[in-house]
Amino acid sequence: MENILEMVHIRINGTDLSVPKGTTIHEAAKLVNADIPTLCHLNLEGFGMVNRTASCRVCMVEVVGRQALSPSCSEMVTEGIEIITDSLKAVSARRLNLELLLSNHPMECLTCRKNLQCDLQALAKRLGIYDIQFVGEKMSRPLDKSSAALVKNPDKCIMCRRCETMCNEVQTCGILSANSRGFDAFVGPAFNLDMADTSCTFCGQCVAVCPTGALSEINNMHKVWAALLKHEKHVVVQVAPAVRVAIGEMFDMEPGSITTGQLATAFRRMGFNGVFDTDWAADLTIIEEASELIHRIEHGGKLPILTSCCPAWVRFFEYQFPDLLDIPSTCKSPQIMMGTMIKTYYAEKMNIAPEDILVVSVMPCIAKKAEVQREELRIGEMKDVDWVITTRELGYMLKEAGIDFRTLPEGEFDQILGESTGASIIFGSTGGVIEAAVRTAYEWITHEELTDVNFRQLRGLEGIRSAEVPLKDMTLKIGIAHGLGNARKMLEGIQRGELDFHAIEIMACPGGCIGGGGQPYHHGDFSIIRKRQEAIYREDAGKPKRKSHENEMVMKLYREYLGDPYGEKAHELLHTTYTAKEMI
């Protein structure tokens, strides 16, 4: 029997309409083109997140018959309600509430990381606020730069609670909550701990939804510029798959624009000595990960195997599921594999001392900044990767250099570590890592050519997915989750013995790396994530080679340097260990 929506009849700005019961005033107002400003409100439908704290009070509207105004983002319509969105009383209240917020806000717009990307700044302009009539004491709390991934500035917190909702309800990490009361209130870790002393995964989703500069990534741009000026150093760069379908947004290009060739040209203009594609290392990762999966299947190893490319996800299971540390793949992430190969294989090929090479990564994720600081990801005293910048930071650097990214000609990556297949490109989207692994595992297990490489049952944007792939005399059972809250559900199902998989892919960010915490801000528009995902698969489809084991430069690496996949030297250089960490 079909579900029949219960409708309510309402009036907005003199227009009668019917809307489903449970609709907010703010949602209903859109139907009559009434534009009500919001600040704390955020509806990320594709992420499964709605923030309706109604704390900022800039969305106030007048309800006929009531003396008090109502917050439109949180109040549901009722039968017969009459609403006026543009009354002088409502407009004046919005301006007053915004002025009160601004009166306690640092006026550092010119040097703020969110300058021109700040919702508070944009709303102040929209409401025509150029003078603050309230003068007095302002909050003053210390800046937290304790972690290698993000900066927390409590003085810029407006108590919108977006980050809290994301951290607790979507990612289920439980790091952020309201502290203190009244004038001194701010959002941060319990007991006002430094972020580095918490169980934060540094996924960066709190940064992605913060409307101000209260949360931002650690700035590594000046360190990269300084490295490029050190002519005695050989400075190389690598760029992740998800960056190429998002960086164009920093230059007003359509979301999902593919800019692979422009990136190669831009890096050379910036002065890098070597320009590499992390896709090459993604193909290398698949060779190792598929080999590890096959080894576990054939030798009765621990299953399911969990992919380990996402550093936020790695920190999540180290803290939250330490009893499952024997399940994840021991493979390093593509970023780290690339760094390792640059400072070993590439260094030998180019006759350059490894200590004279500086590796810069451009990643869609702020967790990658923390990943390169892990002690187990070093070659002796050297870090595998020296500095990480996000997609956003690269955009700022290109603008600083005056490079017209939109009109750049397409260039090529250095082929020694630059050739890639379509399998590596789909790493940027949820389901892509496991699909790439299946393309290789299928041919290695069946010894048959895979004619159709599109495993569409592994694609999509549902938070938790499962699929079965026939492989000769067995069926490979696969689980996929993106977003740490969904990862928790899947892992708890494994702990209870309710879920049975051979392999699982987990990505910390909704949508995978395309929705990473270091990508251009989507401001709640989930269609942008979809367009980035579509672009990932378009580029995959356009590649002449779409299986990682067809990457000739990767297979040459094994012949010349590593030996057998999943062999002794490969283990030494391309695999790592994990450590159980105490929840804080």
Side-chain angles (χ1 to χ4, degrees):
M1 185 175 179
E2 291 185 9
N3 291 324
I4 300 176
L5 292 175
E6 183 179 349
M7 305 297 286
V8 295
H9 302 88
I10 66 175
R11 172 174 286 191
I12 301 181
N13 296 342
T15 300
D16 295 318
L17 65 157
S18 298
V19 297
K21 186 177 181 180
T23 301
T24 65
I25 293 175
H26 188 268
E27 291 166 341
K30 293 179 181 178
L31 300 176
V32 295
N33 297 318
D35 190 6
I36 304 171
T38 60
L39 195 56
C40 65
H41 174 65
L42 187 65
N43 186 354
L44 296 177
E45 183 179 354
F47 290 28
M49 169 188 166
V50 181
N51 191 56
R52 288 197 181 116
T53 58
S55 59
C56 70
R57 318 303 274 190
V58 301
C59 68
M60 306 301 280
V61 296
E62 187 171 355
V63 177
V64 175
R66 294 186 195 171
Q67 184 174 355
L69 296 171
S70 299
S72 65
C73 71
S74 60
E75 182 171 337
M76 308 297 175
V77 296
T78 54
E79 180 65 33
I81 193 172
E82 183 174 352
I83 302 147
I84 304 174
T85 70
D86 53 5
S87 71
L88 290 177
K89 184 178 179 181
V91 172
S92 297
R94 294 170 193 166
R95 184 182 296 110
L96 177 64
N97 290 330
L98 188 59
E99 284 187 24
L100 286 168
L101 284 174
L102 290 169
S103 71
N104 187 37
H105 198 77
M107 299 303 174
E108 304 169 352
C109 295
L110 290 179
T111 55
C112 181
R113 290 301 300 275
K114 285 280 182 75
N115 187 23
L116 302 183
Q117 293 284 339
C118 173
D119 293 350
L120 183 66
Q121 184 185 52
L123 189 56
K125 180 180 179 181
R126 174 179 168 182
L127 297 189
I129 297 176
Y130 300 103
D131 297 294
I132 308 299
Q133 59 181 310
F134 305 104
V135 179
E137 183 183 355
K138 291 189 177 185
M139 184 191 297
S140 179
R141 291 188 177 274
L143 196 68
D144 179 4
K145 299 179 72 172
S146 60
S147 85
L150 60 82
V151 179
K152 181 169 68 67
N153 188 339
D155 289 352
K156 295 181 180 179
C157 177
I158 60 171
M159 289 298 291
C160 71
R161 317 289 282 274
R162 286 186 185 183
C163 62
E164 183 181 352
T165 302
M166 175 60 78
C167 185
N168 298 334
E169 296 183 15
V170 180
Q171 299 296 69
T172 68
C173 294
I175 307 301
L176 300 173
S177 61
N179 288 267
S180 299
R181 290 179 179 274
F183 180 77
D184 295 324
F186 70 98
V187 174
F191 312 112
N192 201 21
L193 290 173
D194 286 341
M195 293 301 295
D197 296 329
T198 71
S199 308
C200 178
T201 66
F202 304 122
C203 68
Q205 288 304 308
C206 58
V207 176
V209 298
C210 178
T212 68
L215 291 164
S216 60
E217 68 263 53
I218 284 283
N219 178 11
N220 285 338
M221 293 185 289
H222 62 288
K223 294 173 182 175
V224 174
W225 283 128
L228 289 168
L229 288 169
K230 291 180 180 178
H231 298 296
E232 69 275 13
K233 295 290 186 179
H234 188 80
V235 187
V236 303
V237 65
Q238 60 166 315
V239 60
V243 175
R244 70 206 63 205
V245 297
I247 184 68
E249 295 163 33
M250 299 289 291
F251 301 89
D252 299 321
M253 297 171 70
E254 181 69 19
S257 298
I258 300 172
T259 60
T260 310
Q262 286 89 343
L263 281 167
T265 301
F267 291 137
R268 289 198 170 83
R269 295 244 182 124
M270 292 173 73
F272 286 100
N273 302 114
V275 179
F276 304 129
D277 194 345
T278 310
D279 286 10
W280 178 90
D283 278 330
L284 177 62
T285 303
I286 286 302
I287 300 300
E288 288 300 305
E289 211 160 66
S291 299
E292 185 178 7
L293 169 62
I294 293 169
H295 186 272
R296 291 196 194 187
I297 291 173
E298 293 180 347
H299 295 85
K302 189 75 172 181
L303 293 171
I305 186 173
L306 274 63
T307 59
S308 55
C309 297
C310 171
W313 149 235
V314 167
R315 279 182 63 90
F316 185 74
F317 70 67
E318 285 182 325
Y319 277 110
Q320 310 256 1
F321 294 90
D323 56 315
L324 298 180
L325 287 187
D326 57 341
I327 296 180
S329 164
T330 59
C331 291
K332 294 178 178 179
S333 70
Q335 171 189 225
I336 302 301
M337 283 196 185
M338 176 66 89
T340 303
M341 290 296 96
I342 288 171
K343 293 191 176 182
T344 55
Y345 177 68
Y346 174 77
E348 287 187 17
K349 282 279 189 181
M350 301 298 290
N351 195 27
I352 303 172
E355 58 269 22
D356 290 333
I357 299 176
L358 291 177
V359 179
V360 175
S361 297
V362 182
M363 296 286 138
C365 169
I366 72 169
K368 292 292 184 182
K369 292 174 182 273
E371 180 185 33
V372 302
Q373 304 298 330
R374 291 178 67 110
E375 289 298 321
E376 63 270 27
L377 301 178
R378 292 175 178 263
I379 307 170
E381 295 299 313
M382 291 187 304
K383 293 191 297 183
D384 289 316
V385 173
D386 297 283
W387 303 114
V388 177
I389 59 174
T390 62
T391 310
R392 288 193 297 268
E393 287 177 298
L394 174 62
Y396 298 144
M397 292 179 74
L398 292 173
K399 289 179 179 181
E400 181 183 353
I403 295 174
D404 184 4
F405 189 76
R406 293 174 62 102
T407 61
L408 285 179
E410 293 192 12
E412 297 288 339
F413 291 98
D414 293 330
Q415 286 305 296
I416 186 172
L417 302 176
E419 181 181 339
S420 63
T421 70
S424 64
I425 293 164
I426 60 177
F427 262 60
S429 174
T430 171
V433 175
I434 202 67
E435 180 175 351
V438 168
R439 291 179 185 181
T440 289
Y442 182 96
E443 292 200 352
W444 285 1
I445 290 174
T446 64
H447 303 290
E448 298 173 358
E449 182 181 358
L450 181 63
T451 55
D452 184 2
V453 301
N454 297 300
F455 290 91
R456 291 183 174 83
Q457 66 269 43
L458 303 178
R459 303 177 185 179
L461 284 170
E462 298 82 10
I464 296 177
R465 310 190 296 282
S466 61
E468 294 186 351
V469 177
L471 290 181
K472 206 170 186 178
D473 55 355
M474 70 170 291
T475 298
L476 192 66
K477 299 178 181 178
I478 295 171
I480 299 167
H482 61 112
L484 292 175
N486 292 321
R488 181 184 297 280
K489 293 175 185 176
M490 185 169 281
L491 292 182
E492 288 175 347
I494 292 171
Q495 286 179 322
R496 293 190 298 266
E498 298 171 357
L499 297 177
D500 178 29
F501 295 113
H502 294 99
I504 294 174
E505 179 204 288
I506 292 178
M507 291 188 179
C509 295
C513 298
I514 51 175
Q519 294 279 63
Y521 296 115
H522 49 68
H523 298 287
D525 186 352
F526 198 70
S527 69
I528 291 175
I529 305 297
R530 294 185 183 277
K531 290 176 181 178
R532 293 173 186 171
Q533 185 184 63
E534 291 165 1
I536 286 279
Y537 288 108
R538 281 203 312 274
E539 184 160 13
D540 164 42
K543 281 281 190 176
K545 297 178 181 179
R546 300 180 65 189
K547 306 164 193 170
S548 293
H549 56 283
E550 294 176 342
N551 187 324
E552 180 53 35
M553 294 305 297
V554 168
M555 302 317 294
K556 181 181 178 182
L557 171 73
Y558 281 100
R559 293 192 300 269
E560 293 184 352
Y561 192 73
L562 290 176
D564 293 332
Y566 204 57
E568 184 177 347
K569 191 165 186 178
H571 254 283
E572 176 190 348
L573 294 175
L574 304 180
H575 292 253
T576 186
T577 56
Y578 309 112
T579 306
K581 293 179 169 61
E582 184 179 357
M583 275 288 292
I584 302 170

